[in-house]
Amino acid sequence: MPHLTTDDNVKLYYEQVGSGIPVVFVHEFAGDVRSYEIQMRYRCIAFNARGYPPSDVPEHGKSYSQERARDDIRAVLDALKIDKAHIVGLSMGGFAALHFGFTYPDRARSLVIAGCGYGAAPDKRAQFTAEAEAVAKQFEQVSMEKAAEAYALGPTRVQFQNKDPRGWQEFADQLAKHSAEGSARTMRGVQARRPSLFDLVDQMQTITAPTLIMTGDEDWPCLEPGLLMKRTIPTAALVVMPNAGHTINLEDPVAFNAHIADFFHTVDVGAWRKRDPRAVVSTILGR
């Protein structure tokens, strides 16, 4: 199985298919490289984050952070000798893609930031931190199978179960096989400690890569953060998928693939533009 080694000596499992302009997919907390099987139709690279076998599961908590998740994308590009790529991230991967965009602007051909916003609302920070710690303890104290079953039935995941019971069951079964230790360390080190999007406005304003924000209209924690990113990132467009929850690439892969394919084409032919400043004024009807 192919692995690459990051600059802090962690081995990451990855898969690469196709040819042409590269796309790197960054998975969500409850997913892994298999989450993007339906999207692997370009020159695509998907990798398992640290903590997700067959990638390494480092023992030390300091090996897990938002900064490290961001830098692991760079490590993938460096190891595969890719100068720049379209970066697609969902949820935890969306946060990593966002941070990658304003930290390494010369390495991103474009950004797709999907399902990004959990725990970002200022009035939900304490609640999210407490829930993240409770979930981490569940992974450690009960079987991974039982903890995964509860996690897969969260309020923004039942939409997937209702639309596609077989697909949802496959997703839940894959989650149940994840490393309990890696999941707990990732929940504490990456999820619970990452900064709120509302504290990153200045950094988001510096993003120059074409950006597509995507969210389901029933992915409640991500709706307002999605609007925030649309308003703040000068190159951003926003797609809200109807009657959809969190795992939009699995819930509605046809629509998800169509949106990102159109986006990549527009970027690759040089037709994606920054927002016209005249569209951002305080008046409602104009002069």
Side-chain angles (χ1 to χ4, degrees), residues 203-224:
Q203 293 95 317
M204 288 193 289
Q205 289 174 338
T206 68
I207 289 178
T208 56
T211 301
L212 185 66
I213 311 298
M214 300 184 70
T215 187
D217 65 352
E218 292 187 13
D219 194 2
W220 315 114
C222 298
L223 288 173
E224 184 56 37

Side-chain angles (χ1 to χ4, degrees), residues 2 8-9 29 52 76 81 92 96 187 208 220 250 255 262 268:
D8 65 339
N9 205 37
F29 174 81
Y52 291 75
V76 169
K81 302 187 185 316
M92 182 176 77
M187 184 60 74
T208 56
W220 315 114
L250 298 176
D262 287 347
D268 291 339

